[in-house]
Amino acid sequence: RRVGSWSDDEEVVACARRALEAAEEAMQAARDDPGASERVRSLTAHAAEEARSVLSALMSSPRARHQRQSLTEFTELLAQEVKEAAEESVQEGIKYAERTLRQAKSLIEDHFQIDEAFRMLGPLRQDSNLARDVHDWFNLIALVPVIVLNLRNWSCRAGISNFCGLFDSGLIGLWHGEVFIAFWWSTLAYFIIDALFIVVLPGCVRSPKVIMQHHVATIGYIMVPYLHREVGWLMGCCMLVEVNTWFLIARRSFNKYGDKPFTTGVALPKSLRLLLVSLCFYVSWFVIRLGFYPYLLVLILQEWYKYSLKLGTPLNILAITPIMQCIFIFLNIKWTIDLIRSKLKGRGASKGLDPPALERVPPERAAGARCLRGAERR
């Protein structure tokens, strides 16, 4: 009854408003009409005044004031709830955006167990994913000829003890490019096949869109040395990072359960294998990504400068090479910061915040460990 009564009163007030508007329009029309008599003008003004009095009486009644107050309170409460819900949604959106951005641009979470505070809890335990396993083994096999053919384009006549003559002839002087064509085609085939692999089975990687963008950019990048063979060394230098990529994938493929070397339940041969792969991964990461790539940027700038002088303009095909190299360096530094930050936080987590090691071992081994502890208690 209250709702119906409220609606009726609101309708009466609305009618009174419309009546007042009509009366005021009639009064104004009478005033503007030169032919209107004085009596017509007086009657329309009186009608407008009466309509205004009726509306004022309706609006000033106790019932109307109570309804307006109730409506105002309801509106304020509704606005407060909407405000709180909006603030909560914004905070959730910010947290989700930060998490999504970190996952999209960091390799760390693809290969290590990371919690919400970005603490590294240990090697990432892999779930059952046949497409990912097949894709990993494809990379481990397909990258071998790419790496081998790349190394065959470099000479080391001065011997390893003399750093292959690096300080005598310089980095570019070590490149002879005898099998560059085979190296280039094998690299192109690898990226195309890997891209098709991701298109057909996007679940084989955690970030298919990011990897596809990387592959497309790389295919475009290697077109530069193909069209200008004199900078073939640049492709050879950049592709040395695939050595680190191989060890990165090997860490995951050789350690699906996320075991830590030399811990209970991990055999000595496996511990040594995991240690060797991890050591090669970290050494190649810091040497190639953080040491060699910045040094390579200096050579690229020098080569671009010489080529620009030759053509008489800095706007040439080599202008893209320092830009791409800076992007790679930025990503390498970003991923390294993520790696170090998660490692440091992981140390704090291991002092009581780290989840039990039982969660990162195979189910059958975890069940065996629980049985042994039960037998010891009995």
Side-chain angles (χ1 to χ4, degrees):
R1 285 197 302 271
R2 290 182 180 179
V3 174
S5 177
W6 189 326
S7 301
D8 294 341
D9 291 343
E10 289 293 322
E11 185 176 355
V12 171
V13 172
C15 291
R17 290 181 186 278
R18 290 193 296 270
L20 175 61
E21 292 174 358
E24 289 179 344
E25 290 177 359
M27 180 183 65
Q28 188 63 37
R31 288 177 179 177
D32 296 339
D33 186 6
S37 64
E38 190 65 30
R39 178 172 176 76
V40 171
R41 294 178 181 177
S42 176
L43 289 175
T44 54
H46 180 68
E49 185 65 27
E50 290 296 328
R52 191 176 294 107
S53 299
V54 171
L55 179 61
S56 176
L58 287 173
M59 296 296 294
S60 62
S61 65
R63 184 173 181 178
R65 285 197 301 271
H66 175 71
Q67 290 176 352
R68 289 198 303 273
Q69 183 180 4
S70 300
L71 181 60
T72 302
E73 293 175 353
F74 172 76
T75 304
E76 292 177 351
L77 290 175
L78 180 60
Q80 184 66 24
E81 291 182 2
V82 171
K83 179 182 177 181
E84 294 176 355
E87 292 177 350
E88 184 177 354
S89 299
V90 168
Q91 294 299 324
E92 291 294 329
I94 292 175
K95 291 180 181 179
Y96 177 78
E98 291 176 347
R99 187 67 176 172
T100 303
L101 181 63
R102 186 171 65 241
Q103 289 176 343
K105 293 189 176 181
S106 180
L107 291 176
I108 307 305
E109 292 173 300
D110 290 347
H111 301 273
F112 295 93
Q113 185 178 355
I114 304 295
D115 65 3
E116 289 297 326
F118 209 66
R119 289 188 294 260
M120 182 180 294
L121 306 179
L124 181 64
R125 180 182 177 183
Q126 304 296 330
D127 54 354
S128 179
N129 188 335
L130 180 60
R132 183 204 59 228
D133 295 341
V134 174
H135 180 254
D136 283 351
W137 280 104
F138 161 74
N139 278 270
L140 292 175
I141 296 173
L143 282 175
V144 171
V146 174
I147 295 172
V148 171
L149 288 172
N150 186 12
L151 296 178
R152 287 190 57 189
N153 285 290
W154 301 89
S155 62
C156 191
R157 299 185 180 91
I160 298 178
S161 59
N162 194 30
F163 295 97
C164 299
L166 176 63
F167 300 105
D168 298 329
S169 58
L171 179 64
I172 303 178
L174 300 180
W175 173 266
H176 54 74
E178 293 179 359
V179 292
F180 172 75
I181 295 299
F183 166 55
W184 189 88
W185 280 106
S186 64
T187 302
L188 179 65
Y190 163 71
F191 282 112
I192 291 178
I193 295 174
D194 194 57
L196 292 176
F197 206 121
I198 297 172
V199 170
V200 176
L201 297 172
C204 66
V205 293
R206 289 178 178 267
S207 305
K209 183 178 180 181
V210 175
I211 296 179
M212 285 297 297
Q213 291 173 347
H214 169 270
H215 284 10
V216 171
T218 302
I219 291 174
Y221 196 24
I222 65 176
M223 291 299 173
V224 175
Y226 182 78
L227 298 175
H228 295 268
R229 304 293 171 81
E230 64 272 14
V231 292
W233 59 270
L234 174 58
M235 177 179 172
C237 291
C238 291
M239 289 300 293
L240 287 176
V241 77
E242 300 305 327
V243 175
N244 177 255
T245 302
W246 192 92
F247 286 112
L248 182 67
I249 298 174
R251 279 171 54 89
R252 180 174 63 197
S253 299
F254 298 166
N255 191 16
K256 291 184 179 181
Y257 297 125
D259 294 327
K260 292 184 178 180
F262 307 107
T263 56
T264 304
V266 182
L268 180 61
K270 183 176 182 179
S271 296
L272 293 174
R273 183 175 73 248
L274 297 179
L275 178 62
L276 177 62
V277 172
S278 294
L279 181 62
C280 292
F281 162 72
Y282 283 111
V283 171
S284 60
W285 179 287
F286 285 96
V287 171
I288 297 176
R289 295 183 182 271
L290 296 185
F292 184 66
Y293 261 50
Y295 167 70
L296 186 58
L297 177 60
V298 177
L299 299 181
I300 290 174
L301 290 172
Q302 292 175 351
E303 197 68 20
W304 174 47
Y305 178 73
K306 291 188 295 184
Y307 193 70
S308 299
L309 291 178
K310 179 181 177 180
L311 297 182
T313 175
L315 300 178
N316 50 69
I317 194 171
L318 294 187
I320 192 177
T321 55
I323 298 175
M324 295 294 295
Q325 194 66 19
C326 288
I327 294 175
F328 292 149
I329 292 174
F330 168 77
L331 291 176
N332 290 336
I333 293 175
K334 195 267 181 187
W335 291 332
T336 303
I337 293 175
D338 288 345
L339 181 65
I340 296 175
R341 183 162 58 94
S342 59
K343 277 282 189 181
L344 294 177
K345 287 189 175 183
R347 289 183 179 181
S350 63
K351 297 179 181 179
L353 299 178
D354 194 6
L358 193 61
E359 297 179 2
R360 296 193 299 274
V361 300
E364 60 273 11
R365 285 167 51 188
R370 285 192 293 267
C371 291
L372 287 175
R373 287 198 297 270
E376 291 174 356
R377 286 194 297 267
R378 288 194 296 269

